[in-house]
Amino acid sequence: GAGVSQSPSNKVTEKGKDVELRCDPISGHTALYWYRQSLGQGLEFLIYFQGNSAPDKSGLPSDRFSAERTGGSVSTLTIQRTQQEDSAVYLCASSYHGQGNYGYTFGSGTRLTVV
Amino acid sequence: DAKTTQPPSMDCAEGRAANLPCNHSTISGNEYVYWYRQIHSQGPQYIIHGLKNNETNEMASLIITEDRKSSTLILPHATLRDTAVYYCIVRVATEGRGSTLGRLYFGRGTQLTVWP
């Protein structure tokens, strides 16, 4: 597609439930990133995938968070046993890391509300 | 941690130039300066980036000081739609073993408000 697509755009879930957030990056982009943004806060790095390399998971806040990227394209961010503090907008971005320096393209995010 | 310092907020009259400053006194030789903006309820949008030379594109101009310790993003004719949070970021230029290329630290940015 023309841009980074994220689904769902909004998700309300009950505390303790698991949720899956999906990201479709721009075709051909080799790198994929997940960030989250709590209300009124800046962007917090979560995880980074680059090609076939092992992902950089250093930003994941707890072991309840995990992410996969299948076939070097679509990525799923899973949050198990959701807590109210997980409420935030989860943003996905992709970029091409070849010659030169390319900016990230962000999706519109998934707004997660844990009640 | 963010390696940049920006004023928390700025105002600008519509049609005038908006000059947004950023300090990055600890920038390394292989780090570029990137600018993004985030309009309310949207994902951040790439604006421009540069290493040491001034850069211009259809959206903005980037002026980097000779010592590279600070830069200024210039929106030459601000419009109401330019109201957003503007983020100044430094990041490494190349990817390699142990690179932290993926870690863009956005900081708090500058809330630019363009008024009519």
Side-chain angles (χ1 to χ4, degrees):
Chain A
V4 176
S5 178
Q6 291 188 247
S7 60
S9 55
N10 283 284
K11 176 71 176 179
V12 180
T13 189
E14 292 180 352
K15 178 181 174 181
K17 299 283 189 181
D18 298 351
V19 295
E20 285 189 352
L21 312 180
R22 177 185 170 103
C23 173
D24 283 274
I26 291 175
S27 178
H29 277 193
T30 56
L32 186 147
Y33 316 81
W34 283 97
Y35 287 79
R36 74 175 175 181
Q37 188 170 32
S38 301
L39 186 63
Q41 302 296 313
L43 277 76
E44 176 188 3
F45 167 77
L46 297 177
I47 189 169
Y48 158 54
F49 296 90
Q50 168 57 20
N52 295 322
S53 302
D56 177 356
K57 305 180 181 180
S58 60
L60 295 178
S62 77
D63 58 8
R64 295 186 296 104
F65 287 73
S66 63
E68 291 184 342
R69 188 179 186 194
T70 55
S73 181
V74 173
S75 178
T76 302
L77 177 69
T78 301
I79 309 173
Q80 296 178 311
R81 306 181 301 281
T82 53
Q83 304 295 314
Q84 288 185 331
E85 61 263 28
D86 299 334
S87 295
V89 176
Y90 289 80
L91 291 158
C92 175
S94 69
S95 69
Y96 174 69
H97 288 170
Q99 291 295 321
N101 250 283
Y102 296 82
Y104 294 12
T105 301
F106 280 83
S108 297
T110 293
R111 181 175 299 278
L112 175 67
T113 304
V114 182
V115 298
Chain B
D1 290 331
K3 296 180 65 173
T4 62
T5 304
Q6 299 176 253
S9 63
M10 293 184 65
D11 292 340
C12 178
E14 188 177 21
R16 307 296 289 268
N19 299 298
L20 292 91
C22 179
N23 288 323
H24 31 79
S25 59
T26 62
I27 192 170
S28 300
N30 65 344
E31 287 181 316
Y32 280 61
V33 179
Y34 277 76
W35 282 83
Y36 285 77
R37 73 180 182 184
Q38 187 174 25
I39 297 170
H40 183 62
S41 299
Q42 299 182 20
Q45 175 191 25
Y46 165 81
I47 301 174
I48 198 168
H49 73 278
L51 183 62
K52 56 183 178 181
N53 296 321
N54 298 337
E55 302 288 342
T56 296
N57 63 21
E58 64 278 6
M59 290 183 68
S61 295
L62 174 60
I63 309 298
I64 303 174
T65 58
E66 190 170 348
D67 63 7
R68 301 206 327 120
K69 292 185 177 182
S70 65
S71 61
T72 301
L73 178 74
I74 300 173
L75 307 178
H77 306 288
T79 70
L80 299 179
R81 289 177 295 179
D82 291 323
T83 293
V85 177
Y86 286 77
Y87 297 99
C88 170
I89 301 156
V90 297
R91 59 173 269 189
V92 296
T94 57
E95 182 182 6
R97 183 181 296 277
S99 169
T100 56
L101 185 63
R103 302 187 195 186
L104 274 188
Y105 294 104
F106 278 79
R108 291 298 191 98
T110 296
Q111 170 66 60
L112 174 68
T113 301
V114 181
W115 44 276

